[in-house]
């Protein structure tokens, strides 16, 4: 009896191991296809480049077909009992709707763009296809509902690319749009979408479906998505560095140190035109916005959290601040142009730019400061009150220090947004995008005998900024080459990262102080 049970157990383990090995194939292909797809998008490789004498487009199509065959085999082996698995009776409504949506998009694009049918034809056709696919996926057992739809998608994609229906020279110009989509981008998109589906289906099948398979599949899909976001960020940074580094290092030398593009202005007197005035202008914009917005936002957060009654008034303020943070930046620019500009010399000034960016920063710092203050345990306040300390002393000495890391997080996120904003400063800051002189804010303060008793010509004069220069070069094609624009983009990225580094270092410092 025990020997028979042991033999049966060994057979089940062997069968499950075989399924695991098969399921690894589509999951591995998904990971490779994801990397190759992004490499094609960023033009590090081309679909016509070869590996072992075979073009990448052909290799991807073969991978799609192989993944389709393996997933189909795994699903059939599972549902026929050839291998021992534990699938549920259905994949669930969410999965069925997801595959229905894919069917709707695929059939809709084919009917409307390839066959040229009108909305009266392609829409009901797509809807019927979506309903049929969702119904089938929902009605069949989980093993078939997971593997066969992904296998069908991979099969169609592989055949379309392999037969050159969508190849390197393919161009699609959608009706009603001025944009065109080319074959390499379509092949890369197929690879990336297929990679997510293959990773999900392969990891799900590797655990024999059921609750363990769904858990691992969801974990793998979320992990892949998270890695994708980080990879996109890294690829964007690499892409900017790749395009802008030569311009930044133009004319540079190590000793004596010389970096003309960063340290020069823009004009005929320079051998290499630079962006130093724009760097200084950007720094002063951010510093002025922070000085204006942070005290107001933190003060308002302290009042709303510690003093105001939690009722209709605080709910209205919370709704208003959330709405202001979601307001498009161009609206802030129009507000500054219509309201601030006529009241500050009726001309473009650095001060107006600082104020409008401060208004943009204010809602986020207020929201995050309130959350940070609310997260401070009430025990801190109660313990301080028990010692006879006044409420303001408790807030100043206990609550605010405990909330500083959260407040700094909001400031860091806000600076990352306002430092790269162009729309708010288009109409209120710049008179000449390429300047030869820098705004000397600290050296321009002068005392006067009349109100307001202090003046600053730099604050009340125009300036330039890195985002505006980037807009002028790349978007409008004004004044400089595309290489100059990419160099500006790289320096802007470095400036933003510099502000991030200051904020993160400060937050780490205060966290360490709290732990002491």
């Amino acid at each position: 009896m025990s020997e028979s049970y042991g033999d049966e157990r060994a057979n089940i383990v062997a069968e499950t191991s075989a399924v695991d090995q098969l399921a690894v194939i589509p999951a591995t292909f998904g990971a490779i296809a994801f990397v190759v797809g992004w490499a094609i998008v960023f033009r590090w490789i081309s679909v016509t480049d070869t590996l072992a004498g075979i073009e990448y487009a052909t290799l991807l199509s073969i991978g799609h077909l192989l993944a389709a065959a393996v997933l189909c085999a795994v699903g059939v082996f599972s549902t026929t009992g050839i291998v021992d698995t534990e699938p549920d009776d259905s994949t669930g409504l969410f999965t069925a709707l997801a595959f229905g949506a894919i069917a709707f998009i695929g059939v809709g694009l084919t009917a409307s763009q390839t066959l040229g049918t009108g909305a009266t034809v392609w829409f009901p056709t797509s809807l019927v296809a979506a309903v049929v696919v969702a119904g089938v996926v929902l009605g069949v057992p989980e093993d078939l509902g997971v593997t066969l739809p992904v296998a069908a998608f991979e099969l169609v994609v592989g055949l379309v690319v392999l037969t050159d229906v969508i190849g390197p020279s393919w161009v699609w110009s959608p009706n009603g749009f001025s944009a065109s989509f080319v074959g390499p981008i379509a092949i890369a998109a197929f690879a990336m979408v297929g990679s997510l589906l293959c990773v999900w289906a392969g990891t799900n099948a590797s655990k024999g479906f059921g609750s363990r398979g769904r858990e691992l599949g969801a974990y793998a899909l979320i992990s892949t998505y998270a890695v994708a976001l980080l990879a996109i960020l890294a690829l964007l940074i690499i892409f900017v560095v790749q395009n802008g580094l030569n311009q930044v290092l133009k004319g540079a030398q190590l000793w004596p140190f010389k970096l003309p593009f960063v340290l020069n202005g823009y004009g005929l007197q320079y051998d290499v035109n630079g962006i130093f005035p724009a760097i200084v202008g950007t720094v002063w914009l951010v510093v002025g916005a922070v000085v204006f917005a942070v005290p107001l936002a933190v003060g308002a957060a302290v009042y709303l959290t510690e003093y105001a009654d939690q009722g209709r008034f605080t709910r209205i303020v919370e709704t208003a601040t959330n709405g202001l943070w979601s307001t498009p930046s161009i609206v802030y620019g129009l507000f500054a142009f219509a309201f601030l500009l006529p009241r500050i010399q009726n001309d473009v000034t650095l001060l107006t730019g600082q104020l409008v960016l401060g208004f943009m920063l204010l809602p986020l710092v207020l929201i995050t400061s309130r959350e940070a203050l609310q997260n401070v345990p009430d025990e801190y306040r109660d313990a301080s009150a028990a010692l006879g300390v006044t409420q303001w002393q408790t807030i100043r000495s206990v609550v605010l220090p405990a909330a500083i890391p959260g407040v700094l997080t909001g400031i860091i996120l806000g600076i990352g947004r306002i430092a790269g904003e162009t729309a708010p400063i288009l109409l209120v800051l710049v008179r000449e995008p390429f300047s030869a002189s820098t705004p000397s804010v600290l050296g321009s303060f002068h005392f006067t005998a009349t109100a307001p008793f202090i003046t600053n010509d730099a604050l009340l004069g125009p300036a330039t900024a890195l985002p505006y220069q980037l807009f002028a070069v790349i978007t409008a094609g004004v004044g400089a080459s595309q290489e100059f624009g990419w160099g500006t983009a790289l320096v802007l990225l470095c400036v933003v990262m510099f502000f991030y580094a200051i904020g993160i270092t400060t937050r780490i410092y205060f966290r360490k102080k709290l732990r002491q």
Side-chain angles (χ1 to χ4, degrees):
M1 180 73 176
S2 60
E3 292 180 0
S4 175
Y5 175 78
D7 293 340
E8 183 179 353
R9 177 71 176 173
N11 291 333
I12 292 175
V13 171
E15 291 169 354
T16 306
S17 299
V19 173
D20 291 348
Q21 294 172 2
L22 279 176
V24 166
I25 295 176
T28 304
F29 166 72
I32 297 173
F34 177 81
V35 175
V36 174
W38 278 112
I40 293 172
V41 169
F42 281 88
R43 298 181 181 178
W44 294 333
I45 62 174
S46 171
V47 292
T48 57
D49 291 342
T50 59
L51 180 65
I54 306 175
E55 291 185 352
Y56 279 102
T58 304
L59 289 173
L60 285 174
S61 64
I62 294 173
H64 287 300
L65 295 175
L66 178 61
V70 171
L71 288 172
C72 186
V74 169
V76 172
F77 291 164
S78 173
T79 195
T80 57
I82 296 177
V83 295
D84 185 70
T85 56
E86 298 178 352
D88 289 345
D89 295 334
S90 174
T91 57
L93 182 61
F94 179 79
T95 304
L97 291 177
F99 284 120
I102 294 175
F104 181 87
I105 294 172
V107 173
L109 289 176
T110 303
S112 62
Q113 302 299 325
T114 304
L115 302 179
T117 60
T120 56
V121 176
W122 72 258
F123 183 79
T125 303
S126 304
L127 189 59
V128 170
V131 171
V132 170
V133 170
V136 171
V137 173
L138 189 61
V140 299
E142 184 187 17
D143 47 8
L144 295 180
V146 168
T147 57
L148 294 188
V150 179
F153 178 86
E154 292 293 280
L155 177 64
V156 171
V157 169
L159 292 176
V160 165
V161 177
L162 186 62
T163 57
D164 209 31
V165 173
I166 295 179
S169 59
W170 177 81
V171 178
W172 174 40
S173 299
N175 296 329
F177 292 89
S178 59
S180 296
F181 299 92
V182 295
I185 299 300
I187 294 172
F190 286 147
M192 288 183 284
V193 174
S195 68
L196 295 177
L197 294 175
C198 286
V199 167
W200 170 72
T203 51
N204 196 329
S206 67
K207 292 300 179 181
F209 306 101
S211 58
R212 292 183 61 199
R214 286 194 300 273
E215 180 181 0
L216 184 61
Y219 178 78
L221 188 60
I222 294 172
S223 300
T224 304
Y225 185 73
V227 171
L229 292 179
L230 296 176
I232 292 171
L233 176 61
L235 291 173
L236 288 174
I237 294 175
I238 293 172
F239 189 72
V240 174
V241 172
Q242 182 182 13
N243 285 276
L245 188 60
N246 289 336
Q247 179 65 33
V248 172
L249 297 179
K250 186 176 181 180
Q253 60 184 42
L254 188 60
W255 187 261
F257 181 76
K258 186 178 180 183
L259 195 60
F261 183 77
V262 175
L263 301 178
N264 286 355
Y266 194 96
L268 297 176
Q269 66 270 35
Y270 298 107
D271 295 333
V272 177
N273 287 320
I275 56 173
F276 186 68
I279 296 175
V280 175
T282 303
V283 171
W284 279 119
L285 278 175
V286 173
V287 170
V290 170
V291 170
F292 168 71
V294 170
L296 288 176
V298 175
V302 169
Y303 172 76
L304 292 171
T305 306
E306 304 295 330
Y307 291 101
D309 295 331
Q310 302 303 307
R312 179 178 297 177
F313 172 72
T314 54
R315 288 196 298 270
I316 291 174
V317 172
E318 184 176 356
T319 302
T321 51
N322 289 333
L324 286 173
W325 173 240
S326 304
T327 300
S329 57
I330 188 62
V331 176
Y332 285 94
L334 293 174
F335 162 76
F337 180 75
F339 182 81
L340 295 178
L341 208 62
R343 291 162 176 79
I344 304 177
Q345 290 196 169
N346 202 25
D347 195 5
V348 293
T349 63
L350 177 60
L351 179 61
T352 310
Q354 292 174 332
L355 290 177
V356 67
L357 292 182
F359 282 123
M360 287 187 61
L361 181 62
L362 188 62
L364 178 63
V365 178
L366 175 56
I367 293 170
T368 55
S369 298
R370 283 199 67 193
E371 292 179 351
L373 291 169
Q374 290 170 349
N375 288 332
V376 176
D378 290 336
E379 288 80 2
Y380 289 15
R381 299 175 177 86
D382 296 339
S384 180
L387 295 174
V389 179
T390 64
Q391 184 178 9
W392 168 241
Q393 289 175 327
T394 299
I395 295 171
R396 183 187 62 190
S397 303
V398 178
V399 178
L400 276 177
I404 280 180
V407 174
L408 289 175
T409 299
I411 296 174
I412 293 168
L413 294 175
I415 288 176
R417 179 184 178 185
I418 66 173
E421 285 288 353
T422 305
I425 62 176
L426 281 174
L427 303 174
V428 300
L429 175 70
V430 183
R431 182 180 297 155
E432 172 58 45
F434 302 98
S435 176
S437 59
T438 61
S440 178
V441 175
L442 294 179
S444 298
F445 284 101
H446 299 287
F447 294 97
T448 61
T450 59
F453 306 109
I454 188 170
T455 62
N456 191 303
D457 295 334
L459 284 176
L460 297 179
T464 187
L466 291 171
Y468 190 92
Q469 279 196 353
L470 187 59
F471 164 80
V473 174
I474 292 183
T475 305
V478 176
S481 63
Q482 293 288 316
E483 290 76 13
F484 190 93
W486 281 113
T488 304
L490 178 56
V491 174
L492 175 60
L493 180 63
C494 293
V495 170
V496 173
M497 297 301 291
F498 172 74
F499 283 120
Y500 275 155
I502 293 177
I504 292 172
T505 303
T506 307
R507 185 176 62 186
I508 293 173
Y509 169 77
F510 280 105
R511 280 183 175 175
K512 289 182 177 179
K513 293 285 289 183
L514 288 174
R515 293 171 182 171
Q516 291 178 356

